[in-house]
Amino acid sequence: GGQHSPFAMPFTQLAGASAAAKALAPTACTTIEEVGSTGVGALTLGFLALAVTTVVMVAKAASADSERRKYYFCCTFICGVATFAYFAMLSGQGWTAIAGCRQFFYARYVDWFITMPLIILTLGLVAGQDFVTLAAVVGADMLMIVALYMGAVSVVTTVKWFWFLFALAMFLPVVYSLARTFRETVITRKEPEMIELYGKIAWLTIIMWSFYPIVWLFSEGFASFSVSFEVVAYTIMDIISKCVFSFMIVSAHDFLGSPAQAQTQSREYV
């Protein structure tokens, strides 16, 4: 009689799922689809671009006043952490095999988990956003990356797509916040240069970040892109969303110290 209790059902289903997971597990792989020479070329280019940008940002931070330094500190770590991840991937580290016997660089996710919140922090600093809203957006972003990682390493297809849906559910509020909430805040600053800078870097970020789930869909998702194509695509997006982003901030150097503070500083010297 106990066999047919309503509680037995979900457990047998779970047991079935874990049995399926064992059968499909990447440990059974004899050959693994690995990154090709094109992908290695992209990783090299990504590593160099990010390393150079990191050095430039360190130099800018060293020579900047305290008001501007915080922007350069953010950019230093955005590019610095990614440089570490690219060095690892280039050195053949930070990967494992996933279902379908495909090479999967988890180093990328460690990088995104740190750098994407830092990009949001930088956008928040430019916008003058309050800490609580900033923390909420960063939290949603981190959950999105966790969900994408869990989806990538899922063996059972249904589980994978649930994780992908969770990731999208977290991604939408992030995009909304950058496009609306932060934007409304920066407008209240009444500094045309900062409004313009925010517009540029926010849209660069939104457009670039929208490509990540698309590439994921055909790489970690359906596995229709080759590992090399995936690596090339992610590298281009990383360079634009990190290096180009950082240099856009450098180009606005003169406006980064807010006028209100500039006035109080000049008064102090009198």
Side-chain angles (χ1 to χ4, degrees):
Q3 210 77 48
H4 301 289
S5 74
F7 300 109
M9 190 58 200
F11 290 116
T12 51
Q13 280 179 331
L14 278 175
S18 60
K22 279 197 188 76
L24 295 164
T27 43
C29 293
T30 43
T31 55
I32 293 164
E33 190 204 335
E34 291 192 37
V35 63
S37 54
T38 319
V40 172
L43 289 174
T44 311
L45 193 68
F47 170 72
L48 292 171
L50 289 156
V52 169
T53 312
T54 306
V55 172
V56 172
M57 293 305 137
V58 170
K60 293 299 280 183
S63 65
D65 55 81
S66 61
E67 181 59 28
R68 291 182 174 95
R69 189 171 291 150
K70 59 188 184 188
Y71 297 100
Y72 297 133
F73 274 158
C74 286
C75 292
T76 298
F77 285 101
I78 288 165
C79 297
V81 170
T83 305
F84 277 25
Y86 273 79
F87 179 73
M89 293 187 285
L90 196 50
S91 311
Q93 295 174 302
W95 69 272
T96 186
I98 53 168
C101 300
R102 182 186 176 92
Q103 186 179 28
F104 166 69
F105 289 102
Y106 61 80
R108 210 179 273 300
Y109 289 74
V110 179
D111 157 7
W112 293 343
F113 191 74
I114 302 168
T115 57
M116 288 189 172
L118 285 173
I119 289 172
I120 294 172
L121 174 62
T122 312
L123 288 163
L125 287 172
V126 172
Q129 192 59 54
D130 66 285
F131 175 75
V132 177
T133 310
L134 194 55
V137 180
V138 163
D141 184 69
M142 289 170 121
L143 287 175
M144 174 185 90
I145 293 150
V146 168
L148 283 179
Y149 170 80
M150 292 301 287
V153 297
S154 299
V155 178
V156 181
T157 325
T158 326
V159 175
K160 181 192 284 286
W161 295 117
F162 266 113
W163 280 120
F164 185 65
L165 287 177
F166 292 152
L168 289 184
M170 292 293 101
F171 183 52
L172 294 175
V174 171
V175 170
Y176 180 84
S177 304
L178 299 183
R180 292 291 307 272
T181 319
F182 284 35
R183 174 132 187 87
E184 283 163 10
T185 306
V186 76
I187 289 168
T188 62
R189 284 184 75 158
K190 297 188 174 50
E191 296 164 42
E193 297 87 4
M194 289 304 260
I195 295 170
E196 190 191 347
L197 171 65
Y198 181 80
K200 276 189 213 162
I201 60 177
W203 282 110
L204 176 89
T205 303
I206 292 166
I207 293 164
M208 278 304 114
W209 284 8
S210 300
F211 282 108
Y212 285 94
I214 298 170
V215 173
W216 192 96
L217 190 64
F218 295 107
S219 308
E220 284 96 325
F222 292 119
S224 27
F225 290 168
S226 70
V227 173
S228 264
F229 186 90
E230 173 193 350
V231 166
V232 170
Y234 280 140
T235 304
I236 293 168
M237 296 185 306
D238 281 344
I239 292 174
I240 297 173
S241 66
K242 293 181 170 79
C243 301
V244 174
F245 179 93
S246 297
F247 284 108
M248 275 184 167
I249 285 179
V250 172
S251 72
H253 180 89
D254 298 340
F255 315 118
L256 290 175
S258 67
Q261 270 159 323
Q263 281 164 3
T264 50
Q265 278 170 341
S266 62
R267 243 184 247 123
E268 278 166 23
Y269 298 125
V270 173

